[in-house]
Amino acid sequence: MSALSPDFTIGIEEEYLLVDQDSLALSEAPAEMMDACQSELQDQVAPEFLKCQIEIGTKVCANVAEAREDLKRLRACVSKHAARFNLAPIAASCHPFSDWRDQSHTEKERYNALSSDLAGVVRRMLICGMHVHVGIERPNQRIDLMNQLCYFLPHLLALSCSSPFWQGRDTGLDSYRLTVFDNLPRTGLPPRMDSFGEFERAVSALTDLGVIEDSSKIWWDLRPSSRFPTIESRICDVQPRLEHTLTLAALTQALTRMLWRLATNNQRWRIYDNFLLSENRWRAQRYATREGLIDFGRHEIVPMSELVEEMIGLVQEDAAFFSSVDEVERSREVLNSGTSSGRQRQVHQDALANGQDEHQALQSVVRHLVEEFHADL
């Protein structure tokens, strides 16, 4: 790449829930477990808002091959130390049956402030996501690429859905996580901006009044990172399968480079109003890959199978550049085998058909999620 091109490095953050291996209900992380994880992983692991959650983050990686090794190490470490306390991590965006009312938040200044500021809304945040950072050194270029990448956020969400159950019920949605998360302020699709300066002025309007302390309290689906020279995609549900995490990361990285490559040819992706993009966001949240998304250029609803093939074709050159062709093409496997939401529902239905009662069937779903977490380690 030329000196003026971004490096497109990636970093992946994942949030996990901890379950008791006997009851399969949520369980708080003991201080000794967190200490052991942090001793081994240093700042790559941290407690999350709720005591039953834990967050990990990879190092800065050139491509998904590097990310795979680091993510495998992080997942294995959390699993190893959790097992000492009869716990197991699951990487699903909602627990199938545990109640948010039974959870308590981590005693930490930031989380105490969140609990105070956001009241009952934040106490329901029994949800986990995955975030993908893509390195873009030039601030204005971050904003330009964000404006265009927004078009593909519903596509990424549709492939990632892992939260069909909430409080012991099938919600009918494939990503119920977003329904919960959208109750927070400063969420949803980012507004279109013309420059990084415009973003900074918007943030300053809130920080100057003391409404928020910094841009880390802006929780859009895609944002300029408050800590790194990256854009940060936050749209996706967390993935039970490590390889599916890597597929989503590879697509995010390759799509970003594809949009940059268009600019080098004096082209760009058409930008649509958030009103229209929000309709696709809802369709992805509701149906995952089952019902297709709206192609606004063609003025029709297009099946996800066709949209996935289009994405693979669009980023073919970029996936080859990052040696991530296999990971990008694995999106076909997600399409064919179904998202985690579909697999969870199938386990639930099979358990009921085999004579289990409702609670036992939901426990079977959690057991399935524990198995999937460890499948690629």
Side-chain angles (χ1 to χ4, degrees):
M1 284 186 282
S2 73
L4 294 178
S5 70
D7 57 20
F8 300 107
T9 54
I10 56 171
I12 302 170
E13 298 170 345
E14 291 187 316
E15 298 160 347
Y16 308 140
L17 295 168
L18 296 168
V19 301
D20 179 86
Q21 293 198 41
D22 297 322
S23 69
L24 299 167
L26 288 175
S27 184
E28 294 182 358
E32 297 92 333
M33 177 196 151
M34 285 304 309
D35 290 344
C37 288
Q38 289 178 323
S39 175
E40 187 170 337
L41 301 174
Q42 286 78 52
D43 61 355
Q44 285 188 266
V45 65
E48 248 298 329
F49 177 69
L50 294 175
K51 292 181 179 179
C52 59
Q53 293 175 295
I54 188 169
E55 180 182 23
I56 60 86
T58 68
K59 298 174 183 176
V60 177
C61 302
N63 51 43
V64 292
E66 286 185 20
R68 174 181 287 105
E69 295 311 309
D70 202 26
L71 194 56
K72 189 176 294 187
R73 180 178 64 90
L74 294 167
R75 283 191 171 209
C77 176
V78 171
S79 179
K80 175 183 67 178
H81 291 299
R84 292 171 48 213
F85 300 92
N86 198 43
L87 302 177
I90 60 172
S93 281
C94 293
H95 187 278
F97 63 83
S98 283
D99 196 319
W100 62 267
R101 298 171 187 85
D102 299 329
Q103 314 308 316
S104 55
H105 77 267
T106 302
E107 289 296 327
K108 192 175 176 182
E109 184 177 348
R110 172 180 170 83
Y111 296 141
N112 290 340
L114 277 176
S115 182
S116 174
D117 292 346
L118 300 174
V121 171
V122 78
R123 288 194 284 273
R124 295 179 66 244
M125 290 293 112
L126 187 55
I127 55 175
C128 294
M130 67 165 282
H131 307 158
V132 179
H133 291 259
V134 181
I136 310 289
E137 191 66 35
R138 295 159 63 194
N140 282 336
Q141 195 169 50
R142 277 176 237 157
I143 298 299
D144 184 46
L145 291 173
M146 269 182 55
N147 287 335
Q148 298 174 74
L149 188 58
C150 278
Y151 182 87
F152 296 98
L153 294 179
H155 302 64
L156 295 170
L157 173 62
L159 291 167
S160 79
C161 292
S162 72
S163 49
F165 297 103
W166 177 255
Q167 310 292 290
R169 295 176 180 269
D170 188 333
T171 66
L173 278 68
D174 281 56
S175 176
Y176 193 73
R177 160 185 154 264
L178 278 190
T179 300
V180 179
F181 194 68
D182 284 348
N183 284 295
L184 293 180
R186 303 177 295 278
T187 56
L189 294 167
R192 180 181 177 182
M193 294 167 288
D194 291 328
S195 67
F196 194 76
E198 183 179 348
F199 171 71
E200 289 183 310
R201 289 190 294 274
V203 173
S204 294
L206 300 183
T207 56
D208 290 351
L209 293 170
V211 175
I212 58 175
E213 61 267 29
D214 56 47
S215 64
S216 69
K217 294 292 181 65
I218 295 172
W219 297 300
W220 296 330
D221 297 334
L222 181 66
R223 69 180 184 184
S225 171
S226 62
R227 295 185 294 159
F228 309 113
T230 65
I231 56 174
E232 178 187 4
S233 170
R234 304 164 51 85
I235 188 73
C236 290
D237 277 8
V238 68
Q239 298 302 287
R241 297 294 298 265
L242 180 148
E243 289 299 330
H244 293 169
T245 297
L246 296 170
T247 284
L248 292 165
L251 279 169
T252 304
Q253 184 185 39
L255 284 166
T256 306
R257 186 180 185 273
M258 179 272 293
L259 295 170
W260 164 80
R261 188 163 46 81
L262 286 181
T264 65
N265 293 315
N266 293 313
Q267 298 173 326
R268 62 186 295 106
W269 199 263
R270 183 173 177 181
I271 295 173
Y272 293 90
D273 190 271
N274 276 1
F275 172 74
L276 296 177
L277 298 185
S278 292
E279 193 64 29
N280 269 347
R281 184 181 188 266
W282 161 249
R283 291 185 64 83
Q285 182 181 353
R286 172 68 175 86
Y287 302 113
T289 59
R290 301 194 309 276
E291 295 292 329
L293 300 176
I294 303 167
D295 185 313
F296 296 107
R298 292 162 57 175
H299 301 286
E300 60 182 276
I301 296 172
V302 178
M304 276 301 296
S305 56
E306 191 172 335
L307 294 175
V308 165
E309 290 303 324
E310 285 182 1
M311 276 199 300
I312 291 172
L314 283 169
V315 303
Q316 188 173 29
E317 176 181 330
D318 311 284
F321 181 87
F322 295 118
S323 300
S324 62
V325 172
D326 289 347
E327 287 81 8
V328 164
E329 292 185 348
R330 190 173 287 114
S331 54
R332 294 188 183 114
E333 175 194 309
V334 175
L335 202 63
N336 293 331
S337 63
T339 62
S340 173
S341 285
R343 297 195 302 277
Q344 289 179 52
R345 284 194 173 107
Q346 189 61 57
V347 169
H348 180 256
Q349 292 168 12
D350 290 347
L352 291 176
N354 289 329
Q356 294 184 10
D357 63 27
E358 181 63 28
H359 183 67
Q360 290 170 330
L362 290 169
Q363 285 180 311
S364 293
V365 174
V366 181
R367 195 173 294 110
H368 155 79
L369 291 169
V370 171
E371 292 169 357
E372 286 212 324
F373 185 95
H374 295 89
D376 298 320
L377 298 185

